[in-house]
Amino acid sequence: MPAPKKTARRSLLVTSAVLSSLALAAPAAVAAPSPSPSPSGSPSATPPASMSTVGGARLGQPGTQVNLASGVPVLPKDLSARSWIVADAESGDVLAAHNAHWRLAPASTLKMLFADTLLPKFPSTAKHKVAPSDLAGIGAGSSMVGIKEDETYTVHDLWLGVFLRSGNDAVHVLSAMNKGVANTVKEMNEHAEELQALDTHVVSPDGYDAEGQVSSAYDLTLIARSGMQKKDFREYASTVTAKFPGETKKDKKGKTVRKSFEIQNTNRLLAGDSDVPVYQGIAGVKNGNTTNAGATFTGVAERNGKVLLVTVMNPEKAEHNEVYKETARLFDWGFKAAGKVQPVGELVPPKSAAQASAQPGTNSSGEAGGSGDGGSGTAGTGAKPVASAPAADGSSGIGVALGITGGVLVLLAGGAFLVNRRWPLPDLVRRRTRP
């Protein structure tokens, strides 16, 4: 099938905060290829010769795709990931990629799709008492936040468990609230198709290894881009630490008490580690690690008014935190290359965007996909960003987001879908020093 093509591109006028648009032709339907062999196989495993061409023909070619020219920095050396991509989050330009459409096990990065699908469904203040059946079917060795049967949690608590601790128990409870795991998987697959994440097939909503469960660096970047347009998604993804409700017990005096315990984000570029400093400008998104997938990570970062998305899947190097180290090097390259390198492809808009753009009088205001809390956030047309503030629940790095200067909104598909906008990324995160 032919690759999607841009029919027009207008310049981005940052200083005047002028709305620009990228008029995109409706992308052709591209059938998803069969899953690649398990990435847990031989280290010499190679990508298939034929991959999806969603976003451009070059993205379907195996190997590294980049337009090196005079003034363009050389890509980092010693990148061992089987697949990676560097994209401008706002324009949608793919600056460079390596096996972008290779279908690999995604691990917990799939939770981005889970969140993007379910966040709009439940208000954050809603409460749910956990039944034993809610926690059934969680895979052995799963990452858990520590949810207990017969305890009551708010939806806000559960999403903190998903984003910070990658808690499969939190995913299963939210899935139970959403008419069960099977229904949630169905809706996630439908949402992936709507986003044109056609390499993605969901079997388990938490990203736990399952036969046939795959995604790609391209798809995970599309999914992250969609999620980051939701205010609550941005806030959860950027939260460094938070308080999580513990188990109800009786103290020494016989009084019933329920204390909280602290949880920390497992995204090492956000929280730091012994051999990984906090990355300047990092504002999310999600990490993962399973036997089949190896280490996977999608991150978003802002520097000097430029917002980039980087996805790295399964580095072959066995060094500690290698996925974060390779991501950081790709971010560094992307910020140096932005504005100099010619893109090798694009992040396509959802299917409905092209359809909506063909309708007269389309309203392009509001955050794409909603906020999940029924709010429009600070990024709506004409809205003014406000300064960051600590969240009332004691979480760190969430707060009310500070808008990126410039105020540029870029609309895709003739203004029908706000894919590209100056997301108000959390300023508290950008100012953080290494702990």
Side-chain angles (χ1 to χ4, degrees):
M1 301 292 292
K5 295 182 178 179
K6 293 180 180 176
T7 58
R9 179 184 293 272
R10 297 178 183 175
S11 61
L12 184 62
L13 303 179
V14 176
T15 55
S16 60
V18 176
L19 297 180
S20 300
S21 64
L22 300 176
L24 299 177
V30 180
S34 301
S36 301
S38 167
S40 61
S42 167
S44 62
T46 56
S50 176
M51 293 180 283
S52 168
T53 56
V54 170
R58 288 189 64 178
L59 298 181
Q61 298 175 13
T64 301
Q65 308 300 319
V66 63
N67 288 319
L68 291 178
S70 178
V72 176
V74 177
L75 283 166
K77 297 180 180 179
D78 301 325
L79 294 174
S80 67
R82 299 189 175 207
S83 177
W84 55 258
I85 191 169
V86 181
D88 186 310
E90 292 178 331
S91 72
D93 288 338
V94 176
L95 307 185
H98 179 76
N99 302 326
H101 280 291
W102 192 358
R103 303 183 88 200
L104 300 168
S108 286
T109 47
L110 196 65
K111 288 183 172 78
M112 294 188 296
L113 178 61
F114 174 78
D116 198 37
T117 304
L118 265 65
L119 264 172
K121 293 195 168 197
F122 309 109
S124 63
T125 54
K127 296 181 178 180
H128 178 78
K129 186 176 181 179
V130 177
S133 59
D134 295 349
L135 301 175
I138 298 176
S142 288
S143 54
M144 311 277 265
V145 68
I147 289 173
K148 303 297 182 183
E149 296 177 3
D150 300 321
E151 293 284 6
T152 298
Y153 300 86
T154 65
V155 166
H156 176 72
D157 294 329
L158 296 172
W159 283 119
L160 287 172
V162 171
F163 277 88
L164 273 68
R165 294 301 305 167
S166 203
N168 290 5
D169 47 355
V171 169
H172 278 253
V173 172
L174 285 163
S175 295
M177 295 173 63
N178 191 49
K179 301 180 182 178
V181 167
N183 180 64
T184 299
V185 166
K186 178 177 80 70
E187 291 183 354
M188 288 173 68
N189 280 317
E190 289 171 351
H191 188 49
E193 185 175 353
E194 157 63 16
L195 294 178
Q196 300 205 73
L198 303 182
D199 298 323
T200 300
H201 179 68
V202 182
V203 177
S204 177
D206 50 22
Y208 191 83
D209 285 340
E211 185 177 355
Q213 181 154 276
V214 289
S215 189
S216 66
Y218 182 88
D219 280 15
L220 293 174
T221 307
L222 272 189
I223 293 163
R225 191 187 191 204
S226 176
M228 288 296 290
Q229 290 172 79
K230 298 176 175 64
K231 178 177 179 288
D232 46 2
F233 188 106
R234 292 193 300 270
E235 291 179 343
Y236 287 125
S238 66
T239 301
V240 182
T241 61
K243 297 293 185 181
F244 193 82
E247 192 172 3
T248 301
K249 297 180 180 179
K250 288 188 176 182
D251 62 14
K252 294 179 180 180
K253 297 181 180 180
K255 184 180 178 181
T256 300
V257 295
R258 189 181 187 190
K259 296 183 178 179
S260 297
F261 57 93
E262 186 173 278
I263 57 175
Q264 178 171 295
N265 203 310
T266 53
N267 173 355
R268 300 305 185 198
L269 291 186
L270 188 69
D273 203 359
S274 59
D275 59 340
V276 178
V278 173
Y279 190 82
Q280 179 189 352
I282 194 72
V285 172
K286 191 71 190 75
N287 57 307
N289 199 318
T290 65
T291 301
N292 195 39
T296 60
F297 180 67
T298 297
V300 63
E302 184 271 345
R303 190 176 295 175
N304 299 324
K306 182 67 68 175
V307 184
L308 298 183
L309 282 162
V310 172
T311 296
V312 172
M313 300 187 77
N314 197 358
E316 295 184 2
K317 259 189 210 173
E319 291 185 21
H320 185 241
N321 286 328
E322 181 63 22
V323 72
Y324 302 107
K325 295 173 184 177
E326 296 193 15
T327 298
R329 293 201 292 272
L330 285 168
F331 267 131
D332 287 345
W333 176 85
F335 286 121
K336 292 176 183 176
K340 301 174 183 176
V341 67
Q342 289 297 313
V344 294
E346 63 174 340
L347 300 177
V348 297
K351 286 182 177 180
S352 60
Q355 297 169 359
S357 68
Q359 302 298 321
T362 299
N363 181 7
S364 61
S365 64
E367 289 205 336
S371 73
D373 287 334
S376 61
T378 61
T381 303
K384 295 182 179 179
V386 295
S388 295
D393 64 356
S395 59
S396 170
I398 183 166
V400 181
L402 176 69
I404 299 173
T405 58
V408 180
L409 306 181
V410 185
L411 313 185
L412 285 188
F417 181 72
L418 291 185
V419 171
N420 300 356
R421 68 190 320 156
R422 284 292 180 179
W423 302 321
L425 297 182
D427 188 59
L428 286 176
V429 174
R430 294 206 296 270
R431 290 203 308 256
R432 287 185 74 244
T433 56
R434 180 174 177 177

